[in-house]
Amino acid sequence: MRTSNHSPLWIFMGRGRQGRLDTSRRNPISPRPVVPSLPCPIPGSVRPENEAAAGRFRDTFSSGGISVCGNRRCCRLLLGAAMIPIPVVVCVLGGWCVIYLADTLLRSSSSLKASYEDWLMSYGLSISPFHMRWQTALFNRLFYSWGRWKPRFLYLWFSIGMVFGIVAMFGSVVLLGKTLMQTLTLMITEAPAVQNDRMLQVVVPGVNLPISQLTYFFTAILISGVIHEVGHGVAAIREQVRFNGFGIFIFIVYPGAFVDLFTTHLQLISPVQQLRIFCAGVWHNFVLGVASLIVLFLLPAILFPFYYTGVGALVTEVTEDSPANGPRGLFVGDLVTNLQDCSVRGVEDWNSCLGEISRKTQIGYCINAATLQQLSFPARVYRRLDGTVECCSNSSLTDVCFSYSNNLDSHLYACLPARKAIEASQVCRTNMDCQKDFVPSLCVTPSLENQTRLIRVKHPPHIDMLFVGHPMHLQYTVSLSSFVPRHNFLSIDLPVVIETMCKYLISLSGALAVINAVPCFALDGQWILNSFLEATLASLIVEKQNRELVGFLILLAGSALLAANVALGLWMVTAR
């Protein structure tokens, strides 16, 4: 029997692994691609009501006075990041075609066939369309040393894993059922809250998984798969099942691992012993997820001698087309401390502040009445198509229309140079917030269209960045870290790499544990269910054929449930 693990389609949020049990002496429990998904929403674009407005926003950004997300520009940026590059697709498909063609030619050659097949066998290689596998006995001694280490501890360890696997089998059905209902609700209502509440989502690399994250994605898949198979292999040796070898494979672009067990030995042991072996994979994935979660939680303490936290969000990357990229924008190494009046002590604060700014109405700024009169100049006031007011009709690239009220009129507008007007100003909501030091001041609020916001970003000792655009565009084009190096020679990327890898391991390994426990054909859940029925129903249902019929019906329902989730999830991600 060979237990293997194929590519994921789910992420936890969710991801899974499948298995297959052949009737030959050496066969695999091998996971096929199930689908993990990472949350990577692309915010709705902010559309200027006319082309002139769009042009003014783009030009203002380039002027260096205010960083602006020109709407169409940002849409191209975000959508472009979600497309799989055609050269990558061509290289993958072309590479597999070359490999398969070379394999076919060598096997059909009368002079080279024997030596080629001997070479493949000697190195444990196997090639089929879009699938390449390598198996070795080099690690057998290591596996046997692990399987014979502290027998009582391993007995307790895998017994706990058996209980977890059985609970996970039932829990995974509940989770898939809930996910299916949420997906159907989302299809009917298109409610964004339902989208965010789903724990399992289908992942399509290059569509809802950024291309830049593929290294983390595939590395986490491989690590999760290896840990999964180590669990099966060590548990099998503990239960006196012969271990034939360990291997790694590539399915299209997805890496995975497998172990080869002696099927006859596996069939001779008791159902409870079988359960310890079949549940060991999902148990080890759960443990890996918990261990990654602990490392992620303790990361500030672990890195404390080298990095400190709680002082701001450190900029680690600004994309080339980011609205924050400019002479007065953000640069790698800048430390962001405030967004408007919202204090930023780390990445979580950065995200929560942007979310709050996006949800609330535009905040205002206190300006001295004399300064307001001095900076403003006559301008024609007109309404945009969305009902908002524009009053800057000149050709300046750094002016913004502001609205305010005084004791005589509640609807006044002034076109002001944004930086001079608000750079050192206090934020406000009403005129009452500005009545300090007996100096007459007014609260002026930028009059912007749609969901556009003017955001003042503090990153001392540099001059404040003024950003005009949708807050989410700023969020998705600037990468930050909560960890600030104590010494100049330390990399600002290392904590981000560790943190991101931990998150992927939690998500993918957790999804592998959950999805692979589903009572579904070709998954570990199939063998967990069969062994569970043999262990619990043998005295109630005497005929083995009847027990197998019950198991078959449950597997059929579980397979249909999983297939429905995958099909609808793929449709939600791609077709829509």
Side-chain angles (χ1 to χ4, degrees), residues 81 209-217 317 504:
L209 176 68
I211 296 294
S212 61
Q213 300 284 297
L214 289 184
T215 302
Y216 294 108
F217 181 72
E317 182 185 5
Y504 269 90

Side-chain angles (χ1 to χ4, degrees), residues 17 40 54 79 127 136 152 179 216 279 297 405 415 430 480 570:
R17 160 200 181 283
C40 182
L79 293 175
I127 299 174
T136 181
R152 290 186 179 180
T179 302
Y216 294 108
C279 294
F297 180 75
S405 63
C415 183
T430 65
L480 303 107
L570 280 173

Side-chain angles (χ1 to χ4, degrees), residues 318-331:
V318 181
T319 60
E320 184 179 352
D321 290 332
S322 171
N325 187 8
R328 292 191 180 181
L330 296 176
F331 296 89

Side-chain angles (χ1 to χ4, degrees), residues 18 68 148 174 231 269 279 303 325 343 382 399 405 444 501:
Q18 297 174 327
V68 178
R148 291 166 180 169
V174 175
I269 60 178
C279 294
L303 297 179
N325 187 8
S343 178
Y382 62 92
D399 297 340
S405 63
V444 298
M501 180 54 65

Side-chain angles (χ1 to χ4, degrees), residues 47 73 109 145 147 202 240 275-276 326 379 421 434 439 460 522 525 537 566 574:
R47 298 184 303 275
R73 175 195 193 109
S109 172
S145 66
V202 172
Q240 306 300 315
L275 277 172
R276 291 196 192 100
C434 302
V439 177
L537 297 184
V566 173
T574 56

Side-chain angles (χ1 to χ4, degrees), residues 18-275:
Q18 297 174 327
R20 170 181 75 225
L21 180 63
D22 295 337
T23 55
S24 59
R25 275 183 188 274
R26 302 170 64 180
N27 64 3
I29 303 177
S30 53
R32 307 239 172 179
V34 193
V35 198
S37 106
L38 282 181
C40 182
I42 296 177
S45 60
V46 184
R47 298 184 303 275
E49 298 302 337
N50 55 59
E51 195 57 38
R56 191 172 73 81
F57 276 108
R58 286 194 290 270
D59 291 340
T60 303
F61 162 67
S62 63
S63 74
I66 307 175
S67 291
V68 178
C69 181
N71 303 302
R72 296 184 181 179
R73 175 195 193 109
C74 287
C75 293
R76 288 197 300 270
L77 166 66
L78 292 170
L79 293 175
M83 302 299 290
I84 301 177
I86 293 179
V88 173
V89 177
V90 172
C91 287
V92 171
L93 294 178
W96 278 112
C97 290
V98 169
I99 291 173
Y100 186 63
L101 180 61
D103 179 68
T104 303
L105 291 175
L106 289 171
R107 289 182 185 277
S108 60
S109 172
S110 56
S111 59
L112 298 176
K113 179 180 179 180
S115 58
Y116 174 65
E117 291 181 346
D118 289 342
W119 179 80
L120 289 177
M121 186 175 297
S122 64
Y123 283 96
L125 293 172
S126 175
I127 299 174
S128 57
F130 300 104
H131 187 275
M132 183 181 298
R133 188 177 69 209
W134 170 71
Q135 180 176 338
T136 181
L138 291 174
F139 304 105
N140 285 20
R141 182 173 296 181
L142 182 61
F143 271 90
Y144 273 100
S145 66
W146 288 340
R148 291 166 180 169
W149 177 77
K150 295 188 181 299
R152 290 186 179 180
F153 171 78
L154 290 181
Y155 173 80
L156 179 62
W157 176 260
F158 289 116
S159 295
I160 296 173
M162 176 183 67
V163 175
F164 172 80
I166 294 171
V167 172
M169 178 179 64
F170 291 103
S172 63
V173 173
V174 175
L175 185 58
L176 281 181
K178 181 180 178 181
T179 302
L180 182 60
M181 295 304 297
Q182 289 174 333
T183 303
L184 292 173
T185 302
L186 183 61
M187 292 172 62
I188 296 172
T189 63
E190 297 188 359
V194 179
Q195 170 77 21
N196 295 332
D197 288 342
R198 290 192 300 163
M199 293 187 67
L200 292 171
Q201 289 190 15
V202 172
V203 155
V204 180
V207 178
N208 60 348
L209 176 68
I211 296 294
S212 61
Q213 300 284 297
L214 289 184
T215 302
Y216 294 108
F217 181 72
F218 290 127
T219 303
I221 290 174
L222 183 59
I223 294 174
S224 300
V226 169
I227 296 300
H228 185 107
E229 299 307 326
V230 166
H232 284 310
V234 174
I237 293 171
R238 167 64 184 77
E239 300 300 335
Q240 306 300 315
V241 174
R242 193 174 80 189
F243 181 86
N244 295 319
F246 169 84
I248 293 176
F249 66 86
I250 295 178
F251 177 74
I252 306 179
V253 293
Y254 293 99
F258 64 90
V259 292
D260 193 356
L261 307 178
F262 193 56
T263 304
T264 302
H265 287 179
L266 193 60
Q267 293 170 344
L268 292 176
I269 60 178
S270 69
V272 174
Q273 289 177 297
Q274 291 177 358
L275 277 172

